[in-house]
Amino acid sequence: MARAALAKPAADVSQAISVGFSQRISRCRREGKWQEAVYLLAQMRRGKALPNDITCNMVISACAKGGHWQLAVDLLCQMPAVQVTPDLISYNSAINACEVASEWAAALACFKALEEKQLQPDIIVYGGVISACAKAGFWQLTLRIFEELCRRMSPDLVACNAALRAFKGNRWPVANAILQNFDDFGLQADVVTFSTAITSCVDAWPMTLQLLTEMHSAQIEANVWSFSSAMTCMSGAALSAWPTSLDLLRAMKSSQVEPNHFSLSSAISTGLSSWPRAVSLLPVKMSRVCYVSALASCASSMAWEAALACLTAMQNAQMTPGAVEVGTLAESFNRALGHKAARELLCSVSTSWKAGKKDAVPNFTAEEIIMQGPGLLMANKPESTSTEEFAAALAARLNCRLSVTSRLDHPTSGVLPLAFGTESSMEKWLVAQLAARLVEKEYLCLCEGEALGPPGTTGLVVAPIRTMELDGHTSRSEVSPTGRIARTEYQVLRRFSCRGAQWAEDTSEVMLLAAHPITGRTHQIRVHFAFLGRPLLGDLTYGRRDSLSVCPRLFLHCRRFSCIGPDGTPLVAEAPLPPELQNVLETL
C-alpha cells in the first residue's frame, strides 16, 4: 500500500503540489481517517502532483494515529524513492507509531536510521524510543538510551517518566538514581513520576511510604494508581506489611480516593497469612480479581469453609467461577481435608463446564502422541523448542485446536498435556487440577555434587523462588526470601562415580534423581537443586557450562504425568528417556 501510494509518476508529470489534496490530507490526519489519507496520497500521484515532505509527514502521522505502525514505517522508507527526503518530523511520526504499538525493535530501527542520515534526534524522538523500550521491559536498553539523551541534552518530564516505567518490579536503585537528578534537570516531579517510581519498589516496599510522603510534601495529591502501586509492592512482602497496607486503605478514604479492585486485591494478598482480615476487606460489590485474592488467602491458610463462602459469594454476584477459582478452592480442600474431598469437589463443579456437551475423542496419528482421551492429548515434547511452538506445530499438522494447560521449559523434554478442541471442558478441568495441586509430575534429572544419600533416599526442598523478566522474552529465577513458596520432593535412583573425569573437576559423583514438583514455579527443579549445590548437568543457566562435554543438553525429562479423568479415574502418561540422555547414563 505504501509503495502504491508513493509510486513514481511519468517523466512529464508536473512537480506542483495540489493545495486541495494537502488540505484534505491534513483534515484526514486530524480526524484519524488514515485510509482516506493514504488513498489521497495515491490520488495525488495519479493526478500528476508530487507530494512533498509535509504531505508525506501528514499521511505518516495519520497512519500512526490509526495504529498502523507498519504502514507508517513503510511510507517513511518509500519517501526517498520519490525524491522526498524524510526529516525529523517524518521519523518522529514513525517512531510514535511504533511506540503506541509497543514495537520497540521498529522504533529502535527508525532511531538508528535517523542517526545514519546525520539528523540530530530531538527530545521527542528520544522520548518515543525510550517509551517503546520501556513498554517492552528492556530496562537496560532503556537506561542506555536515557543516559545518551542526558549526555546530549536535558531530558524533559515525559522522557523521565517513560524511562521510570522500565524499572517496574525490583529496580528501585535505578529508578531512584533518576529521581535524584530531577533538580539538575530542572524538573518538577508530578503524580505520574511518583506513581511510576513506586512500581519499582517490589523488593523495597518501605520506600513506597517515603515516595508517598514526598508527594504530600510537594503538594501532589496521590491518586488511585499511586496507592494501588504501593499496595501491590506490599502484597509480595511478609505479613509485617499488612498493617501498613490497611493504613493506606484508610488514607485513600480520608483523601476521598475510591479504592478499585487492584487496591483491594493487593491489600487482600498482603494478608494471605491472616484470612479473616483479608476476607473482612471484601466490599458488597467487587471484581473477580478481589474474589480470586480472597480465595488465595483462604487457601493459603487452609480455611476451606471461608474459601467456600467466597466462591458462593461469587456465584451470588452472578459471576461464574472459572477453573482457577475452583482449583484454588479445591486446593484448600486438598490441604485441609485430603485428596478425596478435593476430587469430589472438582467433579461436582465440573458439570457446569460441560453444559451437556461432551468433549470429542481425538483419533490422530503422530509419533509425538502418547495417549488420547476425551478432549485430551498427551504428547512427548522434544527439547530445544518451547511449549507454545511445539503445540502450535502439532496443531497445524493435525489441523485442530490445542490448548496449553501446563508448560515445559525450552530445553526440557517429556510428557505434555494438551486440551483438544474449541471450548473444551477438559482445558478447564486440567487447569483446575493444576491449581488444586492434584496433578502429579515425575521428572528425571542428573545432578552433580555431593551425594544426597544411597539409592532410595527421599528428600524435600522447600525454598521460595522469585522470577525476574530479563528482557521481556526470557526470565531467570532464584531462591529469595521475597519469592513465592516452592516445594520439590525427590528420590535418589542411581549414583555414578566420576572421579578422574576432566569435566568433573571437584565433583566426585553424579546422581540420577526422580523429582516431583509440588508447586509450579518457573525453572523450579533447576533452581532448587542449584540452590542445594547439585546443579543439573547441561544446565547453561544455573549449572556449569563444562558439563556439556558429557551431557549435550539439559538432563531434565518429564517421565510421567498423572491427573484425574472427568469420570474420576486416573489418567497416566509416560515418556521414555530420550536416546541422547540414555546414552549419557550408559557412558557413566
Side-chain angles (χ1 to χ4, degrees):
M1 186 182 291
R3 188 180 300 274
L6 290 174
K8 188 174 181 179
D12 59 347
V13 172
S14 171
Q15 300 300 310
I17 299 178
S18 170
V19 175
F21 271 116
S22 296
Q23 290 176 341
R24 291 170 65 187
I25 288 174
S26 178
R27 185 173 63 253
C28 292
R29 180 184 63 83
R30 291 194 303 271
E31 297 175 358
K33 298 178 179 179
W34 67 272
Q35 290 173 308
E36 187 174 343
V38 173
Y39 172 77
L40 288 172
L41 184 61
Q43 289 298 101
M44 286 184 69
R45 307 299 296 134
R46 296 188 184 97
K48 300 182 180 181
L50 282 172
N52 61 9
D53 55 346
I54 297 175
T55 311
C56 292
N57 290 344
M58 287 192 294
V59 179
I60 292 174
S61 179
C63 293
K65 286 186 175 182
H68 295 274
W69 68 272
Q70 290 175 310
L71 185 54
V73 173
D74 287 345
L75 285 166
L76 175 69
C77 295
Q78 293 295 326
M79 287 175 66
V82 291
Q83 299 178 347
V84 178
T85 302
D87 59 12
L88 196 58
I89 297 176
S90 312
Y91 285 100
N92 268 331
S93 299
I95 289 174
N96 175 65
C98 298
E99 185 273 333
V100 171
S102 300
E103 293 291 337
W104 68 273
L108 197 59
C110 290
F111 180 72
K112 291 180 178 178
L114 180 150
E115 292 186 318
E116 290 173 358
K117 298 293 184 182
Q118 297 184 342
L119 292 174
Q120 182 67 34
D122 62 7
I123 191 66
I124 300 176
V125 168
Y126 273 111
V129 176
I130 288 171
S131 180
C133 294
K135 282 184 178 181
F138 294 103
W139 71 272
Q140 292 171 312
L141 179 59
T142 301
L143 181 60
R144 187 162 65 248
I145 297 173
F146 181 79
E147 289 173 341
E148 179 184 320
L149 165 63
C150 294
R151 288 192 295 268
R152 292 188 173 185
M153 65 191 77
S154 293
D156 63 3
L157 189 59
V158 174
C160 289
N161 288 346
L164 288 171
R165 185 187 306 170
F167 311 125
K168 179 180 180 180
N170 57 352
R171 298 186 176 90
W172 160 247
V174 187
N176 186 42
I178 293 179
L179 291 176
Q180 295 303 314
N181 286 314
F182 262 51
D183 288 340
D184 295 337
F185 297 151
L187 299 175
Q188 178 66 49
D190 62 5
V191 65
V192 176
T193 307
F194 282 107
S195 300
T196 307
I198 286 172
T199 64
S200 68
C201 299
V202 170
D203 282 351
W205 69 264
M207 296 308 304
T208 63
L209 303 181
Q210 177 180 319
L211 290 170
L212 289 172
T213 301
E214 291 180 10
M215 289 180 70
H216 181 74
S217 300
Q219 297 183 339
I220 299 173
E221 292 185 3
N223 58 20
V224 66
W225 178 26
S226 313
F227 285 113
S228 299
S229 298
M231 283 186 279
T232 299
C233 293
M234 296 176 189
S235 65
L239 189 58
S240 58
W242 167 257
T244 307
S245 187
L246 288 183
D247 288 342
L248 289 182
L249 281 177
R250 298 187 188 101
M252 292 181 73
K253 184 177 181 179
S254 62
S255 301
Q256 297 184 338
V257 177
E258 185 69 24
N260 60 11
H261 65 279
F262 292 110
S263 313
L264 291 168
S265 62
S266 297
I268 290 169
S269 298
T270 309
L272 285 178
S273 299
S274 182
W275 67 266
R277 299 176 183 174
V279 174
S280 70
L281 291 177
L282 301 183
V284 177
K285 292 184 178 180
M286 65 178 189
S287 68
R288 179 180 294 273
V289 175
C290 291
Y291 280 114
V292 173
S293 297
L295 276 168
S297 177
C298 299
S300 176
S301 301
M302 292 189 292
W304 63 271
E305 292 138 313
L308 184 58
C310 288
L311 195 75
T312 302
M314 281 188 72
Q315 294 172 321
N316 292 338
Q318 297 184 338
M319 295 183 187
T320 302
V324 173
E325 291 85 3
V326 173
T328 303
L329 174 60
E331 182 195 11
S332 66
F333 273 53
N334 187 16
R335 297 180 65 189
L337 306 175
H339 276 47
K340 183 178 179 181
R343 287 196 300 269
E344 290 176 352
L345 171 69
L346 286 182
C347 289
S348 64
V349 176
S350 66
T351 55
S352 63
W353 295 334
K354 298 176 183 177
K357 178 182 178 181
K358 292 185 178 180
D359 286 324
V361 179
N363 185 22
F364 297 123
T365 301
E367 60 180 359
E368 299 94 338
I369 297 177
I370 301 172
M371 65 172 293
Q372 306 176 58
L376 176 69
L377 290 179
M378 294 284 193
N380 189 0
K381 184 189 94 68
E383 56 96 18
S384 295
T385 183
S386 71
T387 294
E388 289 75 13
E389 291 171 342
F390 172 73
L394 184 59
R397 296 209 325 267
L398 301 178
N399 192 25
C400 70
R401 177 182 181 273
L402 296 176
S403 301
V404 174
T405 57
S406 178
R407 288 171 171 78
L408 296 176
D409 294 344
H410 185 276
T412 305
S413 56
V415 184
L416 180 69
L418 297 168
F420 164 75
T422 57
E423 299 181 358
S424 168
S425 63
M426 177 57 75
E427 179 180 355
K428 298 177 181 178
W429 178 254
L430 287 174
V431 169
Q433 287 189 68
L434 287 164
R437 297 178 183 172
L438 294 174
V439 168
E440 295 181 1
K441 302 179 186 179
E442 181 180 274
Y443 290 79
L444 293 180
C445 58
L446 193 62
C447 304
E448 59 178 310
E450 296 299 320
L452 292 172
T457 300
T458 59
L460 173 66
V461 186
V462 181
I465 291 178
R466 180 182 66 176
T467 300
M468 300 162 290
E469 295 293 332
L470 298 180
D471 56 10
H473 301 281
T474 58
S475 60
R476 181 183 176 91
S477 299
E478 64 182 11
V479 171
S480 169
T482 61
R484 301 172 66 189
I485 188 65
R487 300 182 180 89
T488 304
E489 295 177 348
Y490 67 85
Q491 181 180 19
V492 179
L493 300 180
R494 296 175 65 185
R495 293 169 57 180
F496 305 88
S497 175
C498 55
R499 293 186 183 277
Q502 293 182 353
W503 62 269
E505 295 183 356
D506 297 330
T507 301
S508 60
E509 69 173 52
V510 294
M511 64 210 83
L512 182 66
L513 306 179
H516 303 88
I518 307 303
T519 52
R521 310 300 174 222
T522 301
H523 302 168
Q524 177 173 315
I525 294 175
R526 300 160 64 186
V527 171
H528 268 174
F529 286 108
F531 173 68
L532 293 182
R534 279 86 172 178
L536 274 60
L537 261 66
D539 194 338
L540 298 180
T541 304
Y542 306 103
R544 298 192 326 194
R545 291 182 175 272
D546 54 5
S547 66
L548 288 175
S549 61
V550 68
C551 187
R553 48 156 288 200
L554 174 69
F555 202 117
L556 184 60
H557 175 76
C558 184
R559 178 171 69 173
R560 188 172 185 269
F561 184 98
S562 175
C563 63
I564 307 163
D567 58 357
T569 60
L571 291 177
V572 181
E574 295 185 352
L577 202 62
E580 67 272 14
L581 297 185
Q582 186 63 46
N583 291 338
V584 171
L585 297 181
E586 292 174 358
T587 58
L588 292 174

